[in-house]
Amino acid sequence: MTPPSPRPILVTGSAGFIGANFVLDWLRERSAPVVSLDKLTYAGNRANLASLDGDARHAFVQGDIGDQDLVEKLLTTHKPAAIVNFAAESHVDRSIHSPEDFIQTNVVGTLRLLQAARVYTENLNDADKSAFRFLHVSTDEVYGSLSPDDPAFTETNQTLPNSPYAASKAASDHLVRAYHHTYGLQVLTTNCSNNYGPYQFPEKLIPLMITNALTGKALPIYGDGLNVRDWLYVGDHCSAIRRVLDAGRIGETYNIGGCNEIKNIDIVHILCDILDRLKPAGRSYRKQITFVKDRPGHDRRYAINAHKIESELGWKPTETFATGIEKTVRWYLDNLDWIASVTSGAYRQWVKTNYEQGIRA
Ligand code: NAD
Ligand code: DAU
């Protein structure tokens, strides 16, 4: 007798940077199928999942997490064992220009997704109900900003969000918590530090610097360039999420980080040095560095204390920054067509808005 096929998981935001990496990794590592749900905003790119076309274990649906009827239909049709929620507006600078979009997706969208999950699980038998997981992917930015000597963020830090993006993510984390405490939904929340790797949209620091360097444009460093982020290779984030899904304690929050605190200026120097070696341009890419007006409310430092996930679940990152960043730069160099396809007219308009108008005019 053939064993029953495993129940699928529903992954939202699967055409974005981390979601796409997660789905690709999942289908390499696991047998359970994936139902992908993505609205395909400017940040979502169907082509990120093109290598799965024809794979019977993957179904892609274009739609909004805020469309509760659609999500309820997907849940009753596919009967997933878990929802992994990556769908979000994710760029801090965009949240400064248009906060409303962040409330719609990150707060209202998450609420409707939770509500659909609640309706679905209330109709499951007890065993399936208690096996179900709603894993919400969040950020370290909900904890606010650290001074140079502050200890790294733990899961018990107060939420002190400083940007509209961080505030919207903190609100969504609170809703997830409330759905567990009030309705008994089997939730897990992860708060991760800055990711880098393949398929990251070139509005974020690392892919923006690579893209601008290769096209001879300025490398715009906000403020004094001494802000610190804790960098994690995206593949390590994906393995951490799989681990939390498998063994995380219901209702708990897990911080995920790379133990890689690096100043922005150092990141850009590292990228220039790798590009000088892999794609020499006659003069160092460092010559393209320019300092520009700071991001309003710019958080100075983030750092994750990942002791809980390491000690409880045995997860640790496998990539060092040196190995991860080399892989990443090589991926962008090998995928210039991908960069060209995502830096459309709308992208060029965003670059104008963020770097030439408004707060930087
Ligand atoms: P991204 O912007 O690259 O991708 C977001 C995806 O969500 C896109 O495919 C987009 O089309 C989709 N989406 C947006 N609104 C939607 C909606 N209403 N319904 C369905 N799909 C929608 O973001 P990312 O960097 O991959 O981040 C994924 C998640 O991880 C986010 O929740 C983010 O807050 C969190 N996170 C990101 C980082 C990071 O460094 N990138 C770090 C920690 C946590
Ligand atoms: O910490 C996790 C968060 O990391 C995620 O929740 C967010 O979704 C993700 O966008 C990221 O937020 P940051 O604001 O830290 O990432 P960003 O790549 O936008 O910027 C990283 C740092 O680089 C930050 O200090 C601002 C600076 N920066 C960024 C850009 C785009 C520049 O100096 N110049 C730039 O052009």
Side-chain angles (χ1 to χ4, degrees), residues 7 80-81 121 123-133 186:
R7 305 255 297 274
T121 53
N123 292 314
L124 294 177
N125 63 39
D126 285 350
D128 286 347
K129 192 172 180 170
S130 65
F132 179 81
R133 299 287 180 270
Q186 307 276 317

Side-chain angles (χ1 to χ4, degrees), residues 18 89-93 138-141 165 169 192-195 200 202-209 212 219-223 225 227-231 264-265 268 292 294-295 298-300 302 354-355 360:
I18 308 174
E89 288 294 336
S90 70
H91 190 30
V92 173
D93 291 323
S138 191
T139 171
D140 58 2
E141 300 202 12
Y165 163 69
K169 290 297 290 187
C192 189
S193 62
N194 286 62
N195 284 216
Q200 188 168 28
E203 62 185 356
K204 308 284 168 63
L205 180 72
I206 289 179
L208 181 117
M209 293 297 165
N212 281 16
L219 306 182
I221 298 193
Y222 297 167
N227 302 65
V228 172
R229 299 291 184 264
D230 180 351
W231 294 94
N264 293 342
I265 184 69
V268 178
V292 301
D294 210 351
R295 173 186 278 174
H298 196 174
D299 284 343
R300 194 61 171 169
Y302 304 139
N354 193 45
Y355 295 93
R360 290 198 175 78

